[in-house]
Amino acid sequence: MEQYTPDALLSRLGRISRQQRWAFAGAWLAGLCAHGYMFANKLPNHDDIAGLWDSGVGYTSGRWGLYFVSRLDGGLSTPWILGLLSLLFLAMAAMLLPELLQLKSPLFCGLAGGMLA
């Protein structure tokens, strides 16, 4: 099993291509522009008001992952934690786009990542 030292992590990060970095940055920037207001401002909805101290409906409404996500943010509604975490996963998924779509231009890699977000 490989040891993860700071040098090993930096060498892995060095293998990320320029196109993948642009796709990550495009998704991150577009996601913050599109959803940043909701990350920073709390607008209560029915789920927040009806279930202040529990994690919501769960399986009956098709929210199978709600149990696992509620472990991250607890019983409180914190949209900025879940928003930034979701945006991080979207940006990491956007790093696959340049290879899948065979994009070479940094502009198109950033735009593809932004469209994903």
Side-chain angles (χ1 to χ4, degrees):
M1 188 163 158
E2 185 180 349
Q3 286 290 85
Y4 286 104
T5 62
D7 294 331
L9 183 62
L10 288 176
S11 70
R12 262 186 199 259
L13 288 176
R15 287 186 280 189
I16 296 173
S17 71
R18 187 170 147 240
Q19 289 86 4
Q20 289 175 326
R21 291 174 201 254
W22 276 100
F24 183 90
W28 193 258
L29 182 65
L32 285 178
C33 289
H35 305 290
Y37 181 80
M38 284 305 298
F39 292 170
N41 295 289
K42 179 70 180 138
L43 300 174
N45 57 20
H46 179 266
D47 286 346
D48 288 334
I49 295 170
L52 287 175
W53 308 112
D54 57 352
S55 62
V57 179
Y59 292 108
T60 58
S61 69
R63 297 178 180 175
W64 58 269
L66 194 58
Y67 173 77
F68 303 108
V69 171
S70 67
R71 295 290 181 203
L72 292 174
D73 67 345
L76 302 176
S77 179
T78 53
W80 61 275
I81 290 176
L82 295 179
L84 290 177
L85 186 64
S86 300
L87 189 56
L88 176 68
F89 288 139
L90 273 175
M92 289 190 315
M95 293 173 70
L96 300 173
L97 291 177
E99 187 174 335
L100 290 174
L101 300 176
Q102 298 178 354
L103 300 172
K104 300 293 181 207
S105 168
L107 174 67
F108 289 129
C109 292
L111 287 175
M115 289 299 293
L116 184 66

